[in-house]
């Protein structure tokens, strides 16, 4: 018998002591456990590295079981966006010195290269594609090649976040008062949507290649979260609908490698992750209960993990009497791991997952594992 993808299974024990597997939606035993049966899961979260940032803006290479702090340097500061390329190089944008930082995998990332004056703005916002590194500027996006010379620039509303759509070769730029799609091949803006009444943008892409853009309403008397869905059609951003969402605030949003969409949001005094499943065509959201003793209920860190239906979420520890924790949650099996660790919001692709949804370079995870001296 085959258990459908995304169904989720549990190992259970009946009253007579029989061990069996069942799904979350039925009490039927799918398999009784005997000495002749082996369970082989098709993914191993322990072998997937990710990157965290602490309160002092230092980077950590992590797995569920291991952690390695990258060296600090007087020549640069770690930024709030991070990517890993096919060579295992770690890229971040130093917002203070306006320079791109490239950490090299040799000697456990103790060596680096600095590309100075890549932007005219104090920002950490950038995104990578197979051919370019796109860096936010003042009312511009600067496109650099992987040889680190500027190829072209495009004028847009000052970018707060950038996303690269590898299938269309589009760049999605979320600005202060509008968002735009840029055709990288034509090096020009295709369409812009004005959103004067929106506050705090983030975006993900779903299985139908539509853009989900989350934002707060700007009306203080009616605070709520909005999820608007746009689909690029013939060079235009076409609005296709809005998802109803109860919480009054959100903290972060991500999409995992199976195109499940996760949002951490604030409702009734506690932060709760919600998930829209791709297998149900995003018909409804389900909340996820994550309770860790002595962990505060405020989540900031949230990103998808590798080529898995899993995400990493972190509680801040900012509330007096609570401590910061990081949890890794498998959406399909509903298993999760956690450990105590300072974590400050980190954007970009700290979970090495965007290549499976948005597209772009496939990160070299083995370089990170090697730096941690972890062998799988």
């Amino acid at each position: 018998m085959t258990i459908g993808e995304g169904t989720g299974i549990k190992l259970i024990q009946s009253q007579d002591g029989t061990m069996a597997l069942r799904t979350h939606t039925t009490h039927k035993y799918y398999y009784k456990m005997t000495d002749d049966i082996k369970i082989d899961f098709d993914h191993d979260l322990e072998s997937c590295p990710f990157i965290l940032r602490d309160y002092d803006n230092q980077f950590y290479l992590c797995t569920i079981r291991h952690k390695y702090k990258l060296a600090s340097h007087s020549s640069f500061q770690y930024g709030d966006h991070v990517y890993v390329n096919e060579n295992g190089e770690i890229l971040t944008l130093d917002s203070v010195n306006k320079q791109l930082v490239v950490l090299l995998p040799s000697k456990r990332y103790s060596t680096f290269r600095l590309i100075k004056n890549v932007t005219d703005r104090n920002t950490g916002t950038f995104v990578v594609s197979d051919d370019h590194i796109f860096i936010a500027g003042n009312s511009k996006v600067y496109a650099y090649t992987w040889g680190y010379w500027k190829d072209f620039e495009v004028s847009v509303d000052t970018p707060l976040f950038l996303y690269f759509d590898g299938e269309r070769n589009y760049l999605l730029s979320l600005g202060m008062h509008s968002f735009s799609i840029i055709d990288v091949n034509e090096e020009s803006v295709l369409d812009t949507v004005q959103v004067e009444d929106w506050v705090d943008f983030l975006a993900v892409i779903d299985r139908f290649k539509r853009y989900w853009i989350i934002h707060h309403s700007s009306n203080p008397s009616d605070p709520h979260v909005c999820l608007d869905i746009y689909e690029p059609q013939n060079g235009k951003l076409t609005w296709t609908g809005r998802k109803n969402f109860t919480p009054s605030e959100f903290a972060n949003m991500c999409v995992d490698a199976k195109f499940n969409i996760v949002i951490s949001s604030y409702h009734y005094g506690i932060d709760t992750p919600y998930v829209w499943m791709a297998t149900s065509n995003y018909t409804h959201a389900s909340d996820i209960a994550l309770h860790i003793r002595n962990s505060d209920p405020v989540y900031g860190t949230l990103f998808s993990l590798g080529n898995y239906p899993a995400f990493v979420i972190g509680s801040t520890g900012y509330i007096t009497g609570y401590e910061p924790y990081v949890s890794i949650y498998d959406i399909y099996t509903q298993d999760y791991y956690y450990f105590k660790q300072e974590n400050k919001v980190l954007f970009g692709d700290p979970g090495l997952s965007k290549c499976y949804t948005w597209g772009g370079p496939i990160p070299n995870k083995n370089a990170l594992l090697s730096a941690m001296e972890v062998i799988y």
Side-chain angles (χ1 to χ4, degrees):
M1 178 173 288
T2 300
I3 297 176
E5 182 181 40
T7 301
I9 57 175
K10 285 290 186 182
L11 181 66
I12 63 171
Q13 184 176 15
S14 67
Q15 291 181 352
D16 62 4
T18 301
M19 300 300 294
L21 292 177
R22 73 171 177 86
T23 70
H24 300 298
T25 57
T26 180
H27 292 286
K28 178 180 178 181
Y29 289 169
Y30 275 104
Y31 297 101
K32 289 186 177 181
M33 305 303 293
T34 72
D35 293 338
D36 298 325
I37 294 177
K38 294 182 179 180
I39 303 174
D40 183 19
F41 291 100
D42 63 355
H43 61 266
D44 177 14
L45 297 182
E46 293 190 22
S47 66
C48 189
F50 54 94
I51 301 173
L52 294 175
R53 180 172 66 143
D54 68 15
Y55 300 157
D56 295 321
N57 294 326
Q58 296 300 301
F59 280 4
Y60 291 77
L61 305 183
C62 302
T63 66
I64 291 173
R65 309 294 182 193
H66 302 84
K67 182 171 60 177
Y68 171 63
K69 184 179 181 179
L70 296 182
S72 58
H73 297 276
S74 59
S75 301
F76 67 84
Q77 296 186 20
Y78 293 105
D80 58 8
H81 284 65
V82 66
Y83 290 89
V84 178
N85 66 15
E86 294 168 325
N87 299 320
E89 298 168 339
I90 300 173
L91 285 80
T92 188
L93 186 59
D94 179 350
S95 63
V96 175
N97 300 297
K98 302 177 183 178
Q99 58 186 355
L100 185 67
V101 180
V102 183
L103 302 174
L104 307 176
S106 59
K107 299 181 180 179
R108 304 183 72 188
Y109 291 101
S110 62
T111 59
F112 58 90
R113 180 180 180 183
L114 302 178
I115 296 86
K116 298 182 178 294
N117 302 315
V118 293
T119 180
D120 57 355
R121 176 172 161 235
N122 297 106
T123 179
T125 300
F126 75 109
V127 70
V128 300
S129 73
D130 292 306
D131 300 317
H132 290 94
I133 304 164
F134 301 100
I135 298 177
N138 280 316
S139 302
K140 289 183 182 295
V141 174
Y142 298 103
Y144 288 82
T145 69
W146 282 99
Y148 307 116
W149 52 271
K150 189 165 72 172
D151 189 14
F152 64 91
E153 61 184 62
V154 178
S155 296
V156 290
D157 185 14
T158 298
L160 303 178
F161 290 95
L162 295 170
Y163 302 88
F164 175 70
D165 182 343
E167 183 171 308
R168 300 181 176 99
N169 210 23
Y170 283 0
L171 190 67
L172 174 63
S173 175
L174 306 186
M176 294 182 176
H177 307 289
S178 65
F179 57 92
S180 303
I181 49 171
I182 298 168
D183 188 325
V184 175
N185 294 327
E186 298 297 327
E187 303 177 7
S188 62
V189 174
L190 292 178
D191 193 24
T192 296
V193 176
Q194 299 294 326
V195 285
E196 296 293 339
D197 59 340
W198 289 12
V199 180
D200 302 327
F201 297 82
L202 285 175
V204 295
I205 193 168
D206 70 12
R207 63 179 293 199
F208 305 110
K209 302 303 179 181
R210 303 173 304 184
Y211 303 153
W212 289 43
I213 301 179
I214 192 171
H215 57 94
H216 289 120
S217 68
S218 60
N219 186 349
S221 63
D222 182 27
H224 61 276
V225 177
C226 301
L227 272 170
D228 286 275
I229 301 176
Y230 287 82
E231 183 176 359
Q233 296 177 352
N234 301 318
K236 296 292 183 181
L237 282 163
T238 302
W239 185 84
T240 61
R242 171 174 287 186
K243 291 291 184 181
N244 295 322
F245 199 45
T246 302
S248 58
E249 296 182 31
F250 74 90
N252 212 329
M253 179 168 65
C254 71
V255 56
D256 70 28
K258 306 302 181 183
F259 289 99
N260 305 305
I261 295 173
V262 182
I263 296 175
S264 59
S265 59
Y266 184 83
H267 195 50
Y268 292 120
I270 190 169
D271 274 23
T272 302
Y274 288 83
V275 59
W276 278 264
M277 299 295 293
T279 51
S280 64
N281 291 333
Y282 312 107
T283 55
H284 62 280
S286 301
D287 64 306
I288 299 172
L290 292 178
H291 177 71
I292 303 171
R293 189 175 182 181
N294 295 326
S295 173
D296 70 36
V298 179
Y299 297 119
T301 296
L302 177 67
F303 54 83
S304 50
L305 182 61
N307 189 25
Y308 307 126
F311 62 88
V312 177
I313 188 167
S315 59
T316 63
Y318 291 156
I319 300 177
T320 303
Y322 291 94
E323 296 177 305
Y325 276 84
V326 172
S327 299
I328 298 92
Y329 186 88
D330 187 314
I331 293 175
Y332 285 0
T333 67
Q334 299 186 14
D335 292 328
Y336 74 95
Y337 309 80
Y338 64 91
F339 56 89
K340 186 166 65 175
Q341 169 66 33
E342 289 184 1
N343 61 96
K344 190 176 180 180
V345 179
L346 188 57
F347 298 105
D349 190 22
L352 283 61
S353 183
K354 278 192 172 177
C355 62
Y356 303 109
T357 52
W358 286 97
I362 300 175
N364 185 338
K365 73 173 188 177
N366 291 326
L368 274 65
L369 293 172
S370 177
M372 287 184 279
E373 299 181 344
V374 175
I375 299 176
Y376 287 97

